[in-house]
Amino acid sequence: MSASSREMGPSLTPEILSHLGLANKTAAWGTLGTLRTFLSFSVDKDVQRLLKAITGQGVDCGAIVDVLTNRSREQRQLISRAFQERTQQDLLKSLQAALSGNLEKIVVALLQSAAQFDAQELRTALKASDSAEDVTMEILATRTPPQLQECLAAYGHHFQVEAEDDIKSKTSGILRDLLLALTKGGRESYSGIIDYNLAEQDVQALRQDEGRSTEGPWVLILTQRNPKHLTRVFEQYQRRTGQELEEAVRTRFRGDARAALLSLASVIRNTPLYFADKLHRALQESEPNYQVLMRILISRSETDLLSIRAEFKKKFGKSLYSSLQDAVTGDCRSALLALCRAEDI
């Protein structure tokens, strides 16, 4: 994460809620996602509309996108089951036969369970050496313990091998240790009490001489401590050394290990900003990285995409929606814009 990224400050979630008049009513708002439960949901109407979209004269991509990007994942699962019961056909296979390209990939992802989707992305990343660190760290470091547990269970069920075994065979060194530690989902929960002594001990452990074997403390501290504690550790580290923790990472580590530690620090500091940075990089490539765009917009659409949008606009001076409009082409454009939802003024 760049120095400019860290200057953005804490998460914009409270600011978003205050503008919505819900700063103290997060339960009423329910989510900072762009996609929520559709209140006028009728599974029968949705099944009929999708059936008409794929069996009429020409495929009605607009209708498919409209239904699937306006229903929660739980509602989409209900539609899939109802479609099977009423037509004796598998909705996913029917849509795959009717669609192609990136739109087909988006539809497949939308109809999978969150655990299946994450497991597939994790498997693909571990099989592709050029993305193992980036995607694996993203999934393992940003999912809640229950989400991670379900993802790993789905991985083992669908691929007949444990994710931990693939990580051991595809990675090495501190990167492997970091990823394996994250798979355990053992990060401590915040008790509401700041342990100043532990924070000081952690700072001292991270400051051990470069010439010694110091990987162990980095793995333990960054994968086990709760984010609020780590925020204090980061602050104390900078006061003691005169440099941010990320600068020490750049000095001490190389290659995938350095990239993984920097990603993890970015997640800990500000998760929505971490995703905003990834989306921006995906859009800045000569050809947009559609896989990254799809994965983030779909996986965060019911979680914190509003916060990600706010961080994107604050840092880059342009809304995520406008950036997608300018960069994305093809049949998947309407689906990605629908997931993003709206312009940020």
Side-chain angles (χ1 to χ4, degrees):
M1 184 173 66
S2 66
S4 60
S5 300
R6 293 189 295 277
E7 291 170 3
M8 293 298 106
S11 170
L12 295 175
T13 297
E15 181 181 333
I16 298 169
L17 288 172
S18 66
H19 286 309
L20 293 170
L22 291 166
N24 299 311
K25 302 177 183 178
T26 51
W29 183 243
T31 176
L32 280 170
T34 56
L35 197 160
R36 290 177 286 280
T37 300
F38 187 60
L39 297 180
S40 301
F41 179 55
S42 169
V43 68
D44 289 324
K45 289 182 180 178
D46 285 345
V47 167
Q48 289 301 318
R49 191 175 181 196
L50 289 173
L51 187 61
K52 182 179 179 181
I54 57 180
T55 58
Q57 252 190 339
V59 178
D60 189 348
C61 295
I64 295 169
V65 168
D66 186 52
V67 171
L68 298 183
T69 61
N70 282 289
R71 307 294 183 269
S72 68
R73 193 176 289 276
E74 183 180 359
Q75 289 176 325
R76 295 194 296 268
Q77 294 293 303
L78 291 174
I79 293 170
S80 291
R81 289 197 287 272
F83 191 94
Q84 176 76 46
E85 292 171 1
R86 288 157 177 70
T87 68
Q88 306 305 307
Q89 298 175 53
D90 183 275
L91 177 59
L92 180 56
K93 291 180 180 178
S94 298
L95 288 171
Q96 283 182 295
L99 303 171
S100 62
N102 286 323
L103 180 57
E104 178 190 350
K105 292 179 182 178
I106 291 176
V107 166
V108 169
L110 288 170
L111 288 174
Q112 289 177 315
S113 69
Q116 288 175 319
F117 178 53
D118 280 346
Q120 182 62 63
E121 290 292 293
L122 195 58
R123 174 75 167 183
T124 301
L126 287 170
K127 292 298 181 183
S129 58
D130 61 336
S131 62
E133 169 276 318
D134 182 47
V135 179
T136 308
M137 180 59 68
E138 175 191 319
I139 293 173
L140 297 183
T142 64
R143 303 312 190 245
T144 64
Q147 288 172 337
L148 186 56
Q149 190 175 25
E150 290 176 7
C151 167
L152 296 177
Y155 194 105
H157 175 74
H158 288 287
F159 305 118
Q160 298 300 300
V161 63
E162 298 303 317
E164 292 91 332
D165 292 333
D166 275 347
I167 289 171
K168 289 175 184 176
S169 67
K170 299 295 182 181
T171 61
S172 61
I174 188 174
L175 174 60
R176 178 184 59 201
D177 295 342
L178 278 168
L179 297 178
L180 289 174
L182 288 170
T183 62
K184 299 184 188 310
R187 192 177 292 285
E188 301 160 355
S189 58
Y190 180 54
S191 65
I193 300 173
I194 298 174
D195 190 333
Y196 293 95
N197 289 331
L198 180 60
E200 184 59 36
Q201 290 172 21
D202 287 346
V203 169
Q204 293 305 319
L206 296 174
R207 290 183 64 189
Q208 290 183 51
D209 291 341
E210 186 177 355
R212 297 164 59 187
S213 177
T214 59
E215 289 89 350
W218 287 83
V219 173
L220 172 66
I221 292 167
L222 293 183
T223 64
Q224 303 301 306
R225 305 289 191 252
N226 73 74
K228 289 188 179 296
H229 173 86
L230 287 171
T231 298
R232 178 160 293 277
V233 169
F234 288 5
E235 292 170 352
Q236 288 190 208
Y237 188 94
Q238 184 168 0
R239 283 199 294 270
R240 295 283 187 278
T241 66
Q243 66 173 355
E244 292 188 329
L245 188 80
E246 289 84 347
E247 289 307 312
V249 170
R250 293 187 181 95
T251 300
R252 293 190 180 198
F253 302 98
R254 296 289 180 272
D256 286 344
R258 177 166 61 184
L261 284 166
L262 290 174
S263 292
L264 190 51
S266 180
V267 170
I268 291 164
R269 284 187 184 274
N270 187 335
T271 301
L273 179 57
Y274 163 79
F275 281 115
D277 280 331
K278 292 198 74 168
L279 287 168
H280 186 258
R281 288 195 296 271
L283 288 165
Q284 291 303 301
E285 296 182 19
S286 55
E287 173 74 12
N289 189 325
Y290 286 98
Q291 196 62 34
V292 171
L293 297 176
M294 288 187 281
R295 184 177 62 252
I296 296 176
L297 291 175
I298 291 171
S299 67
R300 310 310 292 188
S301 62
E302 294 183 53
T303 308
D304 58 357
L305 191 49
L306 286 175
S307 295
I308 294 168
R309 277 172 32 186
E311 295 287 4
F312 191 101
K313 177 70 179 291
K314 184 176 182 180
K315 180 172 181 180
F316 302 111
K318 184 178 181 179
S319 73
L320 176 58
Y321 193 88
S322 289
S323 298
L324 288 167
Q325 279 184 315
D326 291 344
V328 174
T329 59
D331 55 2
C332 72
R333 185 172 186 265
S334 61
L336 293 177
L337 289 172
L339 289 167
C340 183
R341 230 7 153 233
E343 181 65 86
D344 294 301
I345 307 301

